Amino acid sequence: MALLEIQDLHASVDGHEILKGVNLTINAGEVHSIMGPNGSGKSTLAAVLARRDAYQVTGGRILFNGKDLLEMDPEEAACEGVFLAFQYPVEIPGIGNAYFLRSAMNAVRKYRGEDELDAMDFLPLYKERMKLLEMDDKLMNRSVNEGFSGGEKKRNEILQLSMLEPKLAILDETDSGLDIDALRIVAQGVNAMRSPDRAFLVITHYQRLLDYIKPDFVHVLVDGKIERSGGPELALELEEKGYVRAEAEVQQALPA
Amino acid sequence: MSSSVDTIRDLAAQDYKWGFVTEIDEDRVPKGLNEDIVRLISARKGEPEFMLEWRLNALRHWFQMEREQGEPKWANVTFPPIDYQNIVYYSAPKQKPSLDSLNQVDPELLKTYAKLGIPIDEQKRLSNVAVDAVFDSVSVATTFKDKLGEMGVIFCSFSEAVQKHPDLIKKYLGTVVPHTDNFYAALNAAVFTDGSFVYVPKGVRCPMELSTYFRINAAETGQFERTLIVADEGASVSYLEGCTAPIRDTNQLHAAVVELIALDDAQIKYSTVQNWYPGDKEGRGGIYNFVTKRGKCLGRNSKISWTQVETGSAITWKYPSCILQGDNSVGEFYSVALTNNRQQADTGTKMIHIGKNTRSTIVSKGISAGFGQNTYRGQVKILKGATGARNYTQCDSLLIGDKCGAHTFPYIDVRNGSARMEHEASTSKIGEDQLFYLRQRGIKTEDAVSMIVNGFCKTVFKELPMEFAVEAQKLLGVSLEGSVG
């Protein structure tokens, strides 16, 4: 059974159809990348998978681990193992980052019928993971994302990913706004999480990130549909030619 | 988007858990307000002549105010006219409240306090909180009195103080909130039935938190209590106040007065968790909480700090204030006010700077949900002689849903050029993106809202004594439960 099966997915925001029939199957252990020009629907796809309210699904279905994902609330989807690393992580004043993360872990553990972690179990793990992501100790007790730099916010997303250990991790343009060092650290964090029972969906505009996180499959999303799929070489081709030219060539190659 | 608003709305609709009624015989005076009633109240309490005179004086003033202008109309709240002749001004559990031993207290009362989680039982010494419990109009028990007595700290019901410490009462009663101050203060002065009295002698740091628990039980009664706290030179005390009432579909009036006096180098910290019955979802019933609280920093280097968490009441009208008379004195006001369903709150503070180098801090956090209307009203006044005065005001509003309102009315009056004033204000809606972020990590909507709200209130909660802070957080969660679902 596939981990994620998206069939003919249609979705709209404020009455505008953004996704116009997406089909995608992801198996555990695989890393898929979705590339595409601005406005093609990449972030919408991520939001729908994370069950964000503002995105209305108007057709198709999504199975996650055999269960109907579209029936789930965001928190249910999260507890089932869907994780979204946000493109723009929000600041939440007054809630300590450690407290927040422990609350999240315990919510997930409770859902799965596992014992809750107390502070003594949690802290060593939290510190160790922070160290791996080269995060400053001073961020430990700060409010969630408050006063974090752009790079620190993205690292904080990966920190959460590594603590929550989801089955499917969706990275929504995690590379945007990162300098080369931060990119390397974030990619290391992600690569350390790769495992046969975890899949990744890496959404990016640029090939650059894929130098660090090697995908098994690359898909090109254009105007709400997956136009092409291929191996890692497809990303290189897109980088070289740009989306427009690459698309034009595809169009020409099609029989009239 | 719409579903998250619905969820928030549901979370804001939550049941009141303290709404039970205790079956107990009451001794009550007839409805209505006149000199005879005041004489009757004073007689029931066996008061000395000076108290009766004081009350009658206040009553005459109140009648005059009622004739001339009636209730204050400037607050941003609306309610139908109150018939002051249709209120019972004195109701007491029928049994002579014993101030010496808990064994003589009606077991029904003790059960009530147990249900409310009040540590009235002296065996719970570990809690280290001395409690004065006021049930309807009368103080029923004050705990730890002997232990406090050893240090010279007086902590007793107001009635007892009138009997045993008339000189202190005469000296300080009405010196911070005179009966002429406002309509409700005049009413309170005429008919107040009990309350708490605290005196901390020179140089004594009160070894435990002092606490009063107010409970309105009887129907059709008003509760009018009066609290007077005096910290003598170099003394310090921390005082907590909590309130609940049964669910009733008519409105009940609560018009209390609190006076604090801090002499040289003294410190008073006054914390309130107000959870009077707020009325139902349609706004039926609930307590009118019209309260005058004021502290006077009479001495040099004195400090008075108010912290309030206001989650209950149909209408809240209160402005715990500080008169900073002594040089270098400090006033603080930390407030969280939550209005949900049809609740209305008009609350804030006054900081009156008179002495040199006086400093004040105001941190107000208003949360509105449902159809709630939440108003911050604050005055900072720097008088001519207050050279070097400083004020910092921060005033934040959080809106949950799109049917509620937040309003801010700051009044700033500076008459000394050396003053330094800072004012920060913000209004935000509980963000759909914040909520989604937390939910995406597996946290349930209700918990997410409660986390965001608690985060918003953090700077105020950290001013509360530890146990109270935990209580306040829970209360806030409960008051918002069901507003998202």
Side-chain angles (χ1 to χ4, degrees), chain A residues 50 52-54 74-75 78-79 82-84 86 90-95 99-100 104 107-108 145 157 160 164, chain B residues 1-4 7 432-434 436-446 448 451-452 454-456 458 473:
Chain A
R52 191 161 193 158
D53 292 336
E75 51 266 47
C79 290
V82 175
F83 179 94
L84 172 64
F86 285 78
V90 291
E91 301 185 2
I92 309 179
I95 304 179
Y99 172 74
F100 153 67
V108 173
N145 294 324
E157 294 295 292
Q160 294 170 44
L164 289 165
Chain B
M1 189 70 102
S2 67
S3 85
S4 87
T7 335
E432 199 266 338
D433 48 351
Q434 290 178 333
F436 178 64
Y437 190 82
L438 296 177
R439 294 175 76 192
Q440 209 300 306
R441 297 305 187 242
I443 296 169
K444 285 199 189 106
T445 315
E446 286 186 0
M451 274 173 91
I452 292 169
N454 277 312
F456 174 75
K458 197 177 182 185
Q473 279 199 20

Side-chain angles (χ1 to χ4, degrees), chain B residues 86-349:
Chain B
N86 196 34
I87 292 173
V88 174
Y89 286 89
Y90 180 79
S91 162
K94 208 175 225 170
Q95 166 217 11
K96 195 173 179 299
S98 163
L99 297 161
D100 304 320
S101 161
L102 284 173
N103 299 333
Q104 294 168 40
V105 173
D106 189 321
E108 280 299 314
L109 268 182
L110 291 181
K111 265 190 234 164
T112 300
Y113 284 106
K115 261 193 217 174
L116 296 166
I118 315 301
I120 198 169
D121 187 343
E122 287 216 47
Q123 286 166 355
K124 293 179 182 165
R125 283 180 189 284
L126 285 175
S127 63
N128 210 38
V129 176
V131 179
D132 183 25
V134 177
F135 193 83
D136 287 337
S137 298
V138 181
S139 171
V140 290
T142 307
T143 60
F144 286 117
K145 209 179 329 172
D146 296 343
K147 193 175 166 194
L148 290 166
E150 285 164 22
M151 306 193 68
V153 175
I154 301 169
F155 177 40
C156 64
S157 72
F158 206 97
S159 312
E160 189 185 349
V162 168
Q163 305 293 339
K164 294 190 179 163
H165 311 282
D167 294 346
L168 286 171
I169 296 290
K170 258 188 211 167
K171 186 170 177 189
Y172 292 110
L173 178 65
T175 59
V176 187
V177 181
H179 69 265
T180 50
D181 189 81
N182 69 69
F183 188 80
Y184 302 112
L187 181 63
N188 174 287
V191 302
F192 82 91
T193 33
D194 214 332
S196 298
F197 175 72
V198 176
Y199 173 78
V200 188
K202 271 185 195 175
V204 172
R205 300 173 60 91
C206 188
M208 60 180 76
E209 308 274 356
L210 303 182
S211 171
T212 298
Y213 204 87
F214 294 106
R215 172 83 178 161
I216 296 178
N217 189 59
E220 300 175 299
T221 58
Q223 178 152 323
F224 306 92
E225 76 275 354
R226 202 163 176 112
T227 300
L228 175 59
I229 299 175
V230 181
D232 213 323
E233 289 171 23
S236 72
V237 61
S238 168
Y239 187 89
L240 318 172
E241 170 193 77
C243 341
T244 59
I247 294 175
R248 297 192 188 277
D249 57 10
T250 51
N251 296 106
Q252 283 180 286
L253 179 62
H254 171 249
V257 170
V258 175
E259 297 180 281
L260 312 181
I261 294 146
L263 302 183
D264 286 357
D265 304 302
Q267 296 200 359
I268 301 174
K269 184 174 174 63
Y270 195 103
S271 312
T272 304
V273 172
Q274 184 265 107
N275 187 29
W276 296 118
Y277 175 55
D280 68 10
K281 278 177 201 166
E282 278 71 45
R284 278 185 301 259
I287 303 291
Y288 291 164
N289 187 37
F290 299 158
V291 170
T292 307
K293 294 185 170 180
R294 196 172 303 151
K296 195 185 250 181
C297 285
L298 204 55
R300 295 171 59 87
N301 311 317
S302 56
K303 177 177 173 183
I304 288 178
S305 180
W306 299 98
T307 306
Q308 61 171 16
V309 176
E310 304 280 321
T311 60
S313 296
I315 303 178
T316 294
W317 180 99
K318 83 181 257 211
Y319 313 90
S321 303
C322 297
I323 298 169
L324 303 171
Q325 190 169 324
D327 290 348
N328 310 319
S329 60
V330 176
E332 293 175 338
F333 173 74
Y334 297 96
S335 169
V336 166
L338 178 138
T339 52
N340 194 358
N341 296 321
R342 304 276 173 177
Q343 281 176 275
Q344 309 172 60
D346 191 306
T347 185
T349 184

Side-chain angles (χ1 to χ4, degrees), chain B residues 383-409:
Chain B
L383 296 183
K384 253 197 180 119
T387 303
R390 273 170 26 207
N391 165 263
Y392 171 76
T393 299
Q394 186 191 345
C395 187
D396 300 320
S397 305
L398 185 67
L399 301 169
I400 303 179
D402 51 9
K403 304 258 186 321
C404 53
H407 318 270
T408 303
F409 300 99

